[in-house]
Amino acid sequence: MSTVLMNGVFIPREEAKVDIEDRGYQFGDGIYEVIRVYNGKMFTAKEHFERLQASCEKINIPISFTVDNLTVLLEELIKRNALHNGIIYMQFTRGTSPRNHAFPTKEIAPTFVAYTKELNRPVTNLSNGVTAITVEDIRWFRCDIKSLNLLGNIMAKQKAAEAGCFESIQYRDLTVTEGSSSNIWVVKDQVIRTHEANQYILNGITRQKIVEICQKQGMEVKEEAFSIEDLIDADEVFLSSTTSEVTPIITINNVPVATGEVGEITRRLQDYFKEEIIAQCGELE
Ligand code: PDD
């Protein structure tokens, strides 16, 4: 039986219940984070906590937990569930109040839930790459907030699933924004590019780590939007996320990316990224 953390208290999963008028349940009025755990240790936890706080501030959800509080609580959750490799999912909603679109005028406590899930590194996808399709980005203009409102994202992911593909690469007008649950990268003539961090994408923690790695390793990286044409014409394409790390994309809309082989720069970034994981969490199997 697994343990979950609910409003600061550890309880059995079966006992964790949400009120029908919780605003997260009714409106998607809340935010979330997914943190990777390797060898029982959280990877880039501080960055995830900072983004969580930023998301809360952007939609005016007051949270009383500090980064230190959260670290202690989540480390305890990992221990109680004997989590070795997996994720922590956590979310804050605005709380429970009689249904009304506007924020409650009375002060209410946010609802906080965190639980763990076992998940191994996606070694086959990392090694062989995955397939993708392109879809129109129908989401709102505040994709920088890691909001619980994921309808646009799940509609996009469902299209990929129906096409037998792993991911949907979204575009607005002719500009590539991001994947349904990942950031998208292209490599052309040794230059690595991903959409700039603004309101059209979620500034992935994995994305930020990759930018840092490129700068440290002297690899040319540009945070600027690129077009669908650049995507189709790229030497290499890959996606990044907490669960997928640096995953090569080898076909888009059934057409191979360049030769259809995983590219050399993607491989190098995978290796450097793995070194970062090892440095924080210890040797990987
Ligand atoms: N998704 N863009 C979107 C829309 C995402 O949902 C995610 C992550 C990312 C990558 O962010 P990060 O590197 O911080 O994981 C980009 C998570 C994993 C999810 O929803 O499960």
Side-chain angles (χ1 to χ4, degrees):
M1 200 191 344
S2 70
T3 296
V4 307
L5 181 60
M6 192 150 190
N7 300 324
V9 183
F10 294 100
I11 54 173
R13 194 204 186 293
E14 291 69 16
E15 288 174 23
K17 299 274 186 292
V18 177
D19 193 281
I20 55 167
E21 286 193 311
D22 185 280
R23 291 180 61 95
Y25 179 61
Q26 283 195 328
F27 298 117
D29 185 3
I31 58 92
Y32 75 105
E33 278 295 328
V34 179
I35 304 179
R36 245 299 181 188
V37 174
Y38 300 101
N39 297 326
K41 295 195 185 76
M42 285 185 274
F43 178 64
T44 55
K46 187 169 163 280
E47 291 85 342
H48 282 280
F49 293 146
E50 282 168 4
R51 187 173 64 188
L52 179 118
Q53 281 174 329
S55 291
C56 281
E57 274 165 27
K58 286 172 185 176
I59 62 169
N60 292 318
I61 290 185
I63 52 169
S64 51
F65 295 95
T66 64
V67 169
D68 286 348
N69 287 156
L70 283 174
T71 308
V72 170
L73 287 169
L74 296 182
E75 281 175 352
E76 177 64 23
L77 186 66
I78 291 171
K79 213 165 100 193
R80 288 188 188 222
N81 288 331
L83 182 68
H84 190 57
N85 289 314
I87 56 154
I88 295 176
Y89 175 87
M90 57 193 293
Q91 69 171 46
F92 280 88
T93 77
R94 196 176 303 282
T96 299
S97 182
R99 186 174 186 275
N100 181 15
H101 285 60
F103 296 175
T105 46
K106 210 175 82 198
E107 211 175 285
I108 55 166
T111 309
F112 168 43
V113 172
Y115 64 87
T116 62
K117 191 179 121 188
E118 280 178 39
L119 186 73
N120 285 328
R121 293 183 69 225
V123 284
T124 307
N125 286 352
L126 290 172
S127 162
N128 300 348
V130 297
T131 57
I133 55 168
T134 51
V135 304
E136 195 182 349
D137 194 337
I138 59 164
R139 301 172 304 159
W140 71 333
F141 298 111
R142 289 307 307 273
C143 299
D144 54 309
I145 301 169
K146 203 160 170 61
S147 151
L148 294 177
N149 278 287
L150 289 174
L151 265 182
N153 304 64
I154 64 177
M155 303 275 283
K157 188 69 106 189
Q158 180 58 21
K159 282 193 178 150
E162 284 167 13
C165 289
F166 181 79
E167 182 59 303
S168 278
I169 300 173
Q170 302 174 98
Y171 58 88
R172 271 189 207 283
D173 302 321
L174 293 176
T175 298
V176 173
T177 52
E178 63 178 340
S180 71
S181 61
S182 62
N183 292 114
I184 300 292
W185 304 70
V186 290
V187 183
K188 184 72 183 175
D189 300 329
Q190 313 282 311
V191 181
I192 304 160
R193 269 166 79 181
T194 194
H195 197 288
E196 64 263 36
N198 60 16
Q199 71 273 29
Y200 298 114
I201 67 154
L202 180 76
N203 187 4
I205 304 300
T206 321
R207 175 191 177 284
Q208 295 170 44
K209 255 290 161 252
I210 295 168
V211 170
E212 236 177 79
I213 289 171
C214 291
Q215 287 162 348
K216 198 161 81 189
Q217 298 297 337
M219 299 162 91
E220 194 176 344
V221 62
K222 288 188 177 161
E223 293 179 72
E224 63 180 35
F226 54 87
S227 66
I228 282 278
E229 214 179 308
D230 295 326
L231 177 79
I232 301 302
D233 191 41
D235 298 331
E236 303 178 29
V237 178
F238 63 92
L239 60 84
S240 67
S241 82
T242 294
T243 48
S244 296
E245 300 178 15
V246 176
T247 294
I249 294 178
I250 51 165
T251 73
I252 298 172
N253 299 334
N254 271 324
V255 179
V257 173
T259 60
E261 302 288 312
V262 175
E264 190 204 324
I265 290 187
T266 308
R267 285 273 181 247
R268 276 180 67 196
L269 288 172
Q270 287 184 326
D271 291 345
Y272 292 134
F273 194 78
K274 195 170 162 189
E275 281 171 21
E276 293 281 337
I277 299 170
I278 293 170
Q280 279 189 36
C281 304
E283 207 50 60
L284 298 170
E285 287 123 42

